[in-house]
Amino acid sequence: MKAIRLPLLGLAFAASCTPVPDRVAFSTAVPSASFQNIYVTTGRLPSTGEVDLKQDRNAKTRFVKYAVSIPPTHALGQIEWPDETVDPNTDFAVVGTDDLENSTGFINRIKAERDDEVAIFVHGYNNTPSEALYRFAQIGHDFEITSPRILFAWPSAGRATGYVYDRDSVLFSRDPLADLLTQISRTTNKEITLMAHSMGAHLTMEVLRQLAITGRRDVLDDLRVVALFAPDIDPDIFRAQARAIGTLPDPFVIMTSSQDRALNLSAFLNIGRQKVGDLSRAKDVAGLNITLFDFTALADGSNFDHLVPMTSPAAIAVLRDLVRSDRKGHLDLSQFDIGPDGVIRARAPQGYLRYYSSFHAARTRSKKSTGPVWARSGYSLRVR
């Protein structure tokens, strides 16, 4: 069996090792589109070319505000990429940029925002800056986030074969993310909703640990919510990180799916050890004051089921309803089952498997779509 599985694994990697070019598309705005303003802090801005990964990572941080146009034909959970020439009527596009020059210019802009909180997104493994920008724009649109949105774009290789490179980039990016959180906390008087996906969750936990052991507890106290989506973290490492952090922000939410094939592959490469993102038992995080959501029932097969809460239309609808109910002061969990183990499991609507199987087949045939964050800031998701 091993002699068969390893060659197949090699073929899978070989099929996906072609570099994915960074392909942000610039255009002019059209009246029928909607718009997402995203602040981006990064050492590598979205571009239209490839990056030579043999060169050193850029230690200089850039701060730019992007206006991303969402087409009127947008499908929930999707990024509509252009085939060749971008058309804002059918494609995502950047319709404006504002170079803020340095951290002072960035912080002044954040201070000027009227909301009393910000939403920060840390993307995952195998993401180019353009993909991360468009994904956060999709999330902001689909989940109706109205607070200022900040993308922390760390230097991922942007290719499937860059897993080890991305793990190193996580270590490289700890100081910049810690500095970003510290600046916002100490200079803007705004609370922070911090959301991270996949390997970005590993970076986030490392940074929370770093803030704790360097005496920046005040910054941790300004984290209104931490939500980790499909975290690509070994459970032993996660528990060690959590112990070093001490009291975790409350609520601290983890969203998992046992059908996450990307994490299953990651576990296979790690001698079969499970990752936090596919845990399904509350006892795996017992004593850490964490709320564990399981979205396995709403997986639709796209994106290796590694982005279910962000891209599954059913999951987005359920989470939006949950957040809307919380805004009204009553957290409605009627679309979830709370197990005796404490895990909150999303319930599949009647007919979901038949409907979404055909939906996924249809959108797979589309050249436009590719298969979080999951809520407007201001919610409280601690089940007491």
Side-chain angles (χ1 to χ4, degrees):
M1 178 62 71
K2 289 182 180 179
I4 297 174
R5 290 176 67 188
L6 290 176
L8 288 176
L9 181 63
L11 287 172
F13 272 121
S16 59
C17 68
T18 301
V20 177
D22 207 13
R23 49 180 179 152
V24 68
F26 296 92
S27 187
T28 56
V30 296
S32 58
S34 57
F35 304 94
Q36 288 286 313
N37 291 317
I38 308 290
Y39 293 95
V40 178
T41 172
T42 182
R44 185 194 303 164
L45 293 172
S47 70
T48 56
E50 295 180 9
V51 176
D52 184 359
L53 299 177
K54 295 180 181 179
Q55 300 296 318
D56 288 346
R57 298 169 179 86
N58 188 3
K60 180 181 178 181
T61 303
R62 299 283 302 276
F63 301 89
V64 178
K65 183 179 181 181
Y66 288 83
V68 180
S69 171
I70 312 294
T73 57
H74 171 65
L76 201 66
Q78 302 308 298
I79 297 173
E80 284 80 16
W81 291 95
D83 291 329
E84 292 181 0
T85 302
V86 62
D87 180 355
N89 290 294
T90 57
D91 308 323
F92 274 57
V94 171
V95 295
T97 62
D98 187 2
D99 191 341
L100 306 179
E101 297 186 357
N102 52 41
S103 61
T104 300
F106 166 73
I107 288 297
N108 286 339
R109 286 294 185 88
I110 298 300
K111 284 181 179 179
E113 297 277 2
R114 287 183 288 181
D115 292 73
D116 60 1
E117 58 190 275
V118 299
I120 299 177
F121 179 57
V122 184
H123 64 82
Y125 148 74
N126 188 20
N127 267 218
T128 68
S130 297
E131 289 171 327
L133 173 64
Y134 282 179
R135 179 59 67 195
F136 198 20
Q138 171 259 311
I139 290 167
H141 176 275
D142 291 353
F143 288 99
E144 304 170 352
I145 303 175
T146 60
S147 56
R149 294 165 292 291
I150 303 168
L151 168 66
F152 181 84
W154 53 275
S156 166
R159 62 187 71 178
T161 53
Y163 191 85
V164 174
Y165 181 94
D166 280 10
R167 295 281 291 189
D168 288 344
S169 290
V170 163
L171 304 180
F172 179 83
S173 303
R174 290 176 298 186
D175 287 349
L177 180 54
D179 291 343
L180 172 67
L181 295 174
T182 301
Q183 282 186 306
I184 293 174
S185 171
R186 292 181 175 176
T187 65
T188 70
N189 196 32
K190 296 182 187 295
E191 293 186 308
I192 300 167
T193 294
L194 181 57
M195 301 163 284
H197 174 242
S198 185
M199 199 177 289
H202 183 38
L203 169 58
T204 295
M205 287 298 292
E206 280 292 290
V207 167
L208 299 187
R209 175 186 180 276
Q210 183 167 320
L211 293 173
I213 65 177
T214 55
R216 286 179 273 182
R217 191 78 227 177
D218 59 310
V219 179
L220 292 171
D221 291 341
D222 275 341
L223 297 178
R224 182 170 185 172
V225 180
V226 174
L228 306 183
F229 303 89
D232 188 356
I233 314 174
D234 186 286
D236 284 352
I237 294 175
F238 180 81
R239 284 188 286 266
Q241 291 166 327
R243 284 194 297 269
I245 295 166
T247 302
L248 295 176
D250 185 8
F252 192 107
V253 180
I254 296 178
M255 300 196 180
T256 73
S257 170
S258 62
Q259 294 180 2
D260 189 326
R261 286 170 287 161
L263 288 185
N264 289 341
L265 176 58
S266 176
F268 173 75
L269 295 174
N270 190 31
I271 64 172
R273 286 186 57 80
Q274 204 173 19
K275 295 301 181 84
V276 172
D278 59 10
L279 296 178
S280 58
R281 303 173 300 174
K283 70 178 184 179
D284 293 315
V285 291
L288 297 179
N289 197 30
I290 289 171
T291 300
L292 189 63
F293 281 82
D294 184 345
F295 281 88
T296 302
L298 300 183
D300 64 2
S302 63
N303 297 287
F304 297 98
D305 288 328
H306 191 44
L307 297 163
V308 174
M310 305 179 197
T311 62
S312 162
I316 293 171
V318 166
L319 285 170
R320 277 202 312 208
D321 287 347
L322 183 67
V323 173
R324 286 168 178 165
S325 72
D326 188 58
R327 289 180 195 153
K328 297 176 181 178
H330 175 68
L331 193 63
D332 182 6
L333 291 169
S334 60
Q335 299 182 80
F336 296 85
D337 294 317
I338 305 177
D341 58 355
V343 177
I344 304 173
R345 295 180 173 86
R347 188 185 314 117
Q350 186 175 5
Y352 170 77
L353 292 178
R354 175 178 56 82
Y355 173 78
Y356 280 105
S357 293
S358 60
F359 174 85
H360 175 54
R363 79 180 184 188
T364 299
R365 291 191 293 269
S366 169
K367 295 182 180 179
K368 292 289 184 185
S369 298
T370 67
V373 144
W374 58 278
R376 175 187 179 275
S377 298
Y379 57 88
S380 175
L381 281 179
R382 167 63 49 193
V383 178
R384 303 189 186 278

